């Protein structure tokens, strides 16, 4: 008996059921799925879950690189074909995510090579200037310090550098490292949080406290 | 007491000095960096890696790039829109893996083409629009290697009988002039047991276009009649849900591509 079919209200379904995350860590889930695949247990379902777990991040990478939707789909496919073809060789010497990133980079670079988009290293040569065989001619020449004023400035700068470094050494280790990453290396708060494996709030708190302490330390050590 | 301007000046010296400092000669392995990000190292190892990262631009950049990749897991689809592409991508991937000799447990069902062939096919598709005439009473037999459990299983759609000329494997054809029903049937016996079942049909944008009544499994197969004017040429997803306590559970899904066949205008109703 056929059952009648009626028009629906046009409601939209939510996204597909997400894979079960066993203990809140996608990496741990990836490892369990890989183990199942390698042991031939529920290979189909485990492969599908692994694909679902990582498909979006691979697609987003190619999207950011400016590929069109069909290319994104194809390149993502290429990545996962390679992953599943060589999944038995994954030995856990890195996280699965890192291994996946390596495969992704390889597919990306191959694609660039196919398109002839590799950048060649080389010294730029102006057409208006005679060419020379000497590589050093393409580099800017060092300028010598011309006056005593510059030498004095260098000395002052070195003293100031030593002063701030000495003050930093008095800070607790994590606070000092956050300062170095922020003020010496120029990282953003989120980048510092990633490098230090801290929350962004902790990073901000460290930097706020560090400035207060450094202001105090440098003031105490300043004889003027 | 040093004021803020003095401190900023001093910190500026730090930035100048740090710009040209070379990276250390030795680095932790890529694996160690990945485990550092995943917090899988011992506290002592973590401190060593952290000390290195403060000094080494190369390793910082690697770590930041990896972290960005791992944290970028959201698909940019509007809220509430089904991820229609994921299922199709998985089907295609299975086909490719099967062809390359690394079989999964279920045979591949999706024919594959090279990227160039797909592009030329896609370019020809608008030109190859076909009209199906007199399509009534198509029956699609769904075969799948079912396992126990309630997860959706893979399948290979096989067109057993049709009133259209030629073999429309996995496709249903429309008779726009005659507006007759299309029949879809699916084997019921292999599905997990639920109090009720429902068929819902989605278009390529994940929009639900039709839904059956809630059914009990009284026969060996479900049969549904759909009005043909519900569809325009394109890709649709037919999904069977089990309904019981809690949210409906997706049991099976069958993508179909509808197209018109200008050559076949005199089909009969079987």
């Amino acid at each position: 008996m056929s059952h009648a079919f009626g028009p629906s209200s046009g409601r939209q379904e939510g996204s597909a059921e997400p894979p079960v995350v066993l203990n809140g860590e996608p990496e741990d889930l990836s490892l369990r799925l890989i183990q199942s695949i390698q042991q031939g247990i529920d290979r189909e379902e485990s492969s599908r879950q692994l694909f679902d777990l990582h498909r979006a991040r691979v697609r987003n990478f190619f999207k950011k690189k400016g590929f069109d939707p069909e290319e994104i789909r194809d390149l993502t496919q290429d990545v996962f074909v390679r992953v599943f073809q060589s999944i038995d060789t994954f030995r856990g010497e890195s996280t699965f995510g890192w291994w996946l990133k390596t495969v992704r980079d390889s597919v990306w670079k191959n694609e660039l090579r196919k398109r002839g988009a590799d950048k060649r290293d080389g010294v730029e040569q102006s057409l208006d200037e005679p060419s020379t065989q000497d590589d050093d001619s393409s580099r800017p020449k060092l300028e010598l310090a011309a006056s005593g004023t510059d030498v004095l400035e260098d000395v002052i700068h070195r003293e100031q550098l030593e002063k701030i470094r000495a003050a930093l050494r008095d800070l607790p280790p994590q606070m000092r490292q956050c300062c170095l990453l922020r003020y010496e290396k120029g990282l953003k708060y989120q980048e510092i949080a990633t490098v230090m494996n801290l929350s962004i709030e902790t990073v901000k708190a460290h930097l706020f406290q560090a400035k207060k302490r450094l202001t105090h330390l440098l003031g105490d050590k300043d004889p003027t | 007491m040093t004021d803020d301007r003095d401190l900023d000046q001093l910190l500026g010296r730090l930035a100048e000095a740090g710009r040209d400092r070379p990276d250390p000669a030795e680095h932790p392995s890529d694996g160690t960096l990945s485990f550092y990000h995943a917090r899988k190292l011992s506290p002592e190892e973590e401190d060593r890696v952290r000390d290195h990262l403060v000094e080494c631009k190369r390793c910082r950049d690697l770590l930041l790039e990896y972290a960005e990749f791992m944290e970028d897991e959201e698909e940019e689809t509007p809220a509430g829109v089904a991820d229609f592409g994921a299922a199709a991508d998985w089907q295609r991937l299975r086909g490719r893996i099967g062809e390359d000799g690394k079989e999964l447990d279920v045979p591949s069902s999706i024919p594959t083409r090279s990227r160039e062939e797909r592009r030329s096919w896609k370019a020809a598709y608008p030109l190859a629009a076909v009209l199906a005439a007199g399509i009534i009473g198509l029956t699609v037999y769904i075969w799948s290697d079912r396992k126990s459990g309630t997860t959706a299983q893979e399948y290979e759609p096989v067109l057993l009988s049709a009133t259209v000329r030629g073999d429309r494997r996995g496709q249903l054809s429309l008779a726009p002039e005659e507006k007759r029903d299309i029949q879809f049937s699916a084997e019921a016996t292999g599905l997990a047991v639920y109090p009720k079942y429902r068929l819902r049909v989605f278009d390529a944008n994940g929009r639900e276009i039709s839904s059956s009544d809630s059914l009990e499994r009284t026969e060996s197969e479900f049969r549904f009649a759909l009005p043909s004017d519900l569809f325009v040429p394109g890709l649709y997803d037919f999904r069977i849900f089990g309904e019981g306590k809690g949210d409906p559970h997706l049991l099976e899904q069958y993508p179909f591509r509808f197209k018109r066949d200008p050559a076949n205008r005199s089909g009969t109703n079987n």
Side-chain angles (χ1 to χ4, degrees):
Chain A
M1 182 176 105
S2 289
H3 300 287
F5 224 83
S8 70
S9 59
R11 66 186 181 277
Q12 294 181 339
E13 191 191 42
S15 55
E17 209 171 11
V20 171
V21 176
L22 293 177
N23 60 357
E25 295 292 338
E27 180 58 33
D28 289 334
L29 175 61
S30 297
L31 289 178
R32 287 179 205 228
L33 292 171
I34 290 166
Q35 275 170 8
S36 295
I37 295 167
Q38 290 176 340
Q39 291 165 12
I41 301 167
D42 283 335
R43 196 177 168 92
E44 171 82 11
E45 180 59 28
S46 300
S47 301
R48 172 69 190 265
Q49 285 199 33
L50 194 66
F51 173 72
D52 284 343
L53 198 55
H54 294 286
R55 171 181 172 265
R57 56 175 54 91
V58 175
R59 282 178 56 86
N60 289 343
F61 171 79
F62 290 118
K63 188 170 183 176
K64 284 177 188 167
K65 293 301 177 189
F67 292 99
D68 68 38
E70 184 158 338
E71 289 164 339
I72 292 169
R73 193 179 56 204
D74 288 346
L75 291 167
T76 303
Q77 287 271 305
D78 290 347
V79 169
F80 282 99
V81 166
R82 287 201 195 187
V83 163
F84 287 116
Q85 281 180 332
S86 55
I87 197 120
D88 288 335
T89 67
F90 178 75
R91 295 277 175 260
E93 289 159 353
S94 70
T95 58
F96 174 73
W98 194 281
W99 192 66
L100 177 65
K101 185 180 88 74
T102 309
V103 174
R104 175 210 78 184
D105 288 343
S106 174
V107 167
W108 174 48
K109 284 170 187 167
N110 278 348
E111 185 65 18
L112 291 181
R113 265 196 289 275
K114 270 193 244 171
R115 296 170 183 224
D118 279 353
K119 288 186 180 163
R120 294 196 181 83
D121 292 330
V123 175
E124 286 188 359
Q125 175 63 49
S126 166
L127 293 173
D128 298 323
E129 292 173 10
S131 63
T132 84
Q133 297 300 317
D134 182 4
D135 279 346
D136 286 342
S137 67
S138 65
R139 296 196 193 118
K141 298 217 179 335
L142 291 173
E143 291 182 8
L144 298 174
S147 71
T149 309
D150 292 333
V151 171
L152 183 60
E153 229 171 276
D154 284 346
V155 170
I156 293 171
H157 289 179
R158 272 199 290 272
E159 278 183 2
Q160 287 174 328
L161 188 59
E162 188 43 48
K163 196 171 172 183
I164 188 69
R165 285 207 168 124
L168 282 169
R169 280 195 285 272
D170 285 343
L171 297 179
Q174 271 195 6
M175 194 180 287
R176 180 178 63 249
Q177 288 174 328
C178 287
C179 283
L180 289 172
L181 289 171
R182 176 74 175 164
Y183 302 118
E184 190 181 65
K185 309 300 181 186
L187 265 62
K188 301 172 196 167
Y189 290 141
Q190 182 55 59
E191 291 174 332
I192 298 171
T194 301
V195 169
M196 295 289 294
N197 262 345
L198 298 171
S199 70
I200 197 168
E201 290 76 21
T202 305
V203 169
K204 287 179 180 175
H206 273 322
L207 291 173
F208 178 74
Q209 286 298 324
K211 268 207 159 178
K212 280 175 68 174
R213 288 202 196 197
L214 287 171
T215 303
H216 192 73
L217 282 168
L218 291 165
D220 286 350
K221 287 175 182 169
D222 189 347
T224 60
Chain B
M1 190 116 150
T2 300
D3 65 19
D4 284 349
R5 275 178 310 169
D6 293 335
L7 180 59
D8 287 342
Q9 192 179 44
L10 294 173
L11 292 172
R13 298 285 163 255
L14 201 61
E16 283 168 13
R19 253 197 300 265
D20 298 322
R21 189 180 299 171
D23 288 341
E26 291 185 357
H27 308 279
S29 67
D30 287 358
T32 300
L33 286 179
S34 71
F35 293 132
Y36 172 82
H37 180 262
R39 299 172 198 266
K40 300 288 184 191
L41 299 179
S42 67
E44 296 78 22
E45 285 174 311
E46 194 167 300
D47 285 345
R48 270 200 296 276
V49 173
R50 187 179 292 125
D51 290 346
H52 176 85
L53 287 168
V54 172
E55 299 299 325
C56 180
K57 184 177 187 317
R58 172 218 179 250
C59 291
R60 274 200 308 276
D61 288 349
L62 276 176
L63 182 74
L64 288 171
E65 191 199 339
Y66 173 61
E68 187 187 347
F69 173 59
M70 290 308 291
E71 282 149 28
D72 192 6
E73 57 186 346
E74 293 299 321
E75 269 282 29
E76 291 178 17
T77 50
V81 175
D83 188 6
F84 194 77
D89 283 355
W90 172 246
Q91 291 282 19
R92 187 182 296 111
L93 179 64
R94 283 183 63 251
R96 285 185 65 181
I97 295 170
E99 274 194 7
D100 292 338
K102 192 83 174 174
E103 293 279 348
L104 297 173
D105 288 339
V106 180
S108 162
S109 63
I110 307 297
T112 61
R113 298 189 182 93
S114 69
R115 205 173 298 164
E116 292 70 29
E117 284 173 334
R118 274 204 300 280
R119 286 199 182 116
S120 62
W121 173 80
K122 203 176 171 181
Y125 178 70
L127 307 175
V130 287
L131 282 174
I135 310 304
I136 303 166
L138 281 175
T139 302
V140 178
Y141 173 73
I142 308 298
W143 165 86
S144 71
D145 180 15
R146 300 180 195 277
K147 298 177 190 170
S148 61
T150 60
T151 56
Q153 297 297 316
E154 301 304 328
Y155 75 102
E156 181 175 355
V158 175
L159 197 64
L160 280 189
S161 64
T163 57
V164 293
R165 202 160 54 205
D167 181 13
R168 299 283 185 257
R169 212 172 172 80
Q171 295 169 349
L172 302 175
S173 297
L174 302 176
E177 293 89 4
E178 298 182 31
K179 295 198 188 297
R180 297 194 190 168
D181 284 349
I182 292 170
Q183 275 209 6
F184 168 75
S185 64
E187 200 177 88
T189 50
L191 295 176
V193 176
Y194 277 82
K196 298 272 184 169
Y197 300 84
R198 190 190 298 270
L199 176 67
R200 296 161 71 183
V201 181
F202 297 84
D203 67 12
N205 294 318
R207 228 179 9 249
E208 185 175 325
I209 61 164
S210 194
S211 175
S212 73
D213 299 328
S214 205
L215 318 161
E216 289 180 358
R217 188 164 70 186
T218 54
E219 296 171 25
S220 62
E221 64 175 15
F222 292 118
R223 274 185 239 120
F224 304 93
L226 300 94
S228 62
D229 59 5
L230 198 59
F231 302 96
V232 294
L235 194 60
Y236 294 86
D237 209 30
F238 286 48
R239 300 179 193 169
I240 295 186
F241 288 81
E243 295 183 340
K245 288 181 188 171
D247 293 336
H249 197 122
L250 176 64
L251 301 178
E252 290 285 354
Q253 61 186 85
Y254 319 92
F256 290 108
R257 183 173 296 281
F258 285 74
K259 61 179 189 176
R260 298 190 192 283
D261 181 4
N264 189 352
R265 295 183 181 278
S266 59
T268 55
N269 187 358
N270 272 0

Short mmCIF file of all heavy atoms in Angstrom, two decimals, chain A residues 1 40 52 56 88 91 94 107 111 132 138 173 186 190 196 213:
data_model
loop_
_atom_site.label_atom_id
_atom_site.label_comp_id
_atom_site.label_asym_id
_atom_site.label_seq_id
_atom_site.Cartn_x
_atom_site.Cartn_y
_atom_site.Cartn_z
N MET A 1 0.85 -1.20 0.00
CA MET A 1 0.00 0.00 0.00
C MET A 1 0.89 1.25 0.00
O MET A 1 1.84 1.34 0.78
CB MET A 1 -0.85 -0.04 1.27
CG MET A 1 -1.81 1.12 1.40
SD MET A 1 -2.82 0.89 2.87
CE MET A 1 -2.10 2.07 3.96
N GLY A 40 40.59 -3.38 11.65
CA GLY A 40 39.52 -3.92 10.82
C GLY A 40 38.19 -4.05 11.56
O GLY A 40 37.32 -4.81 11.16
N ASP A 52 34.21 12.71 8.81
CA ASP A 52 33.29 13.75 9.28
C ASP A 52 33.98 14.66 10.30
O ASP A 52 33.72 15.86 10.36
CB ASP A 52 32.05 13.13 9.93
CG ASP A 52 31.07 12.59 8.89
OD1 ASP A 52 31.18 12.98 7.71
OD2 ASP A 52 30.22 11.75 9.27
N ALA A 56 35.77 19.42 7.60
CA ALA A 56 35.56 20.87 7.57
C ALA A 56 36.90 21.62 7.65
O ALA A 56 37.12 22.59 6.91
CB ALA A 56 34.66 21.31 8.71
N ASP A 88 47.24 2.75 7.57
CA ASP A 88 47.90 1.66 8.29
C ASP A 88 49.33 2.01 8.68
O ASP A 88 49.92 1.33 9.51
CB ASP A 88 47.89 0.38 7.46
CG ASP A 88 46.48 -0.22 7.39
OD1 ASP A 88 45.67 0.06 8.30
OD2 ASP A 88 46.19 -0.95 6.43
N ARG A 91 51.57 5.68 13.02
CA ARG A 91 52.07 4.96 14.20
C ARG A 91 51.96 5.80 15.47
O ARG A 91 52.52 5.43 16.49
CB ARG A 91 53.55 4.58 13.98
CG ARG A 91 53.77 3.59 12.87
CD ARG A 91 53.54 2.16 13.33
NE ARG A 91 53.63 1.24 12.20
CZ ARG A 91 52.57 0.75 11.57
NH1 ARG A 91 51.37 1.08 11.95
NH2 ARG A 91 52.73 -0.07 10.54
N SER A 94 53.07 11.37 15.98
CA SER A 94 52.58 12.73 16.19
C SER A 94 51.08 12.58 16.40
O SER A 94 50.55 11.47 16.29
CB SER A 94 52.86 13.60 14.97
OG SER A 94 52.03 13.21 13.89
N VAL A 107 49.35 17.79 -0.60
CA VAL A 107 48.36 17.91 -1.68
C VAL A 107 48.34 19.35 -2.21
O VAL A 107 48.29 19.58 -3.43
CB VAL A 107 46.96 17.50 -1.17
CG1 VAL A 107 45.86 17.90 -2.14
CG2 VAL A 107 46.92 15.99 -0.91
N GLU A 111 49.40 20.66 -5.97
CA GLU A 111 48.45 21.42 -6.79
C GLU A 111 49.10 22.71 -7.30
O GLU A 111 48.95 23.08 -8.46
CB GLU A 111 47.19 21.73 -5.99
CG GLU A 111 46.09 22.40 -6.79
CD GLU A 111 45.53 21.54 -7.90
OE1 GLU A 111 45.72 20.30 -7.86
OE2 GLU A 111 44.93 22.09 -8.83
N THR A 132 75.49 42.06 -12.68
CA THR A 132 76.81 41.66 -12.22
C THR A 132 76.71 40.23 -11.74
O THR A 132 75.64 39.73 -11.47
CB THR A 132 77.29 42.55 -11.05
OG1 THR A 132 76.76 42.02 -9.84
CG2 THR A 132 76.86 43.97 -11.23
N SER A 138 73.49 42.89 -4.95
CA SER A 138 72.04 43.05 -4.80
C SER A 138 71.66 43.36 -3.37
O SER A 138 70.51 43.64 -3.07
CB SER A 138 71.35 41.75 -5.24
OG SER A 138 71.72 40.73 -4.34
N PRO A 173 58.30 32.97 35.95
CA PRO A 173 58.64 32.46 34.61
C PRO A 173 57.55 32.65 33.55
O PRO A 173 57.83 33.15 32.47
CB PRO A 173 58.91 30.97 34.84
CG PRO A 173 59.28 30.87 36.27
CD PRO A 173 58.56 31.95 36.98
N GLY A 186 56.48 40.35 19.43
CA GLY A 186 55.35 41.02 18.80
C GLY A 186 54.13 40.15 18.55
O GLY A 186 53.34 40.42 17.65
N GLN A 190 46.09 36.13 21.41
CA GLN A 190 45.66 34.76 21.12
C GLN A 190 46.85 33.89 20.74
O GLN A 190 46.92 32.71 21.08
CB GLN A 190 44.61 34.77 19.99
CG GLN A 190 44.07 33.39 19.65
CD GLN A 190 43.49 32.68 20.85
OE1 GLN A 190 42.57 33.16 21.51
NE2 GLN A 190 44.04 31.51 21.19
N MET A 196 51.79 29.43 24.67
CA MET A 196 52.02 29.14 26.08
C MET A 196 51.07 28.06 26.61
O MET A 196 51.22 27.61 27.74
CB MET A 196 51.80 30.41 26.92
CG MET A 196 52.81 31.51 26.65
SD MET A 196 54.45 31.10 27.29
CE MET A 196 54.13 31.06 29.05
N ARG A 213 54.45 45.45 37.70
CA ARG A 213 55.67 45.06 38.42
C ARG A 213 56.90 45.70 37.81
O ARG A 213 57.81 46.14 38.52
CB ARG A 213 55.84 43.54 38.39
CG ARG A 213 54.86 42.78 39.25
CD ARG A 213 55.44 41.44 39.56
NE ARG A 213 54.45 40.49 40.05
CZ ARG A 213 54.76 39.37 40.68
NH1 ARG A 213 56.02 39.05 40.88
NH2 ARG A 213 53.82 38.57 41.10
#
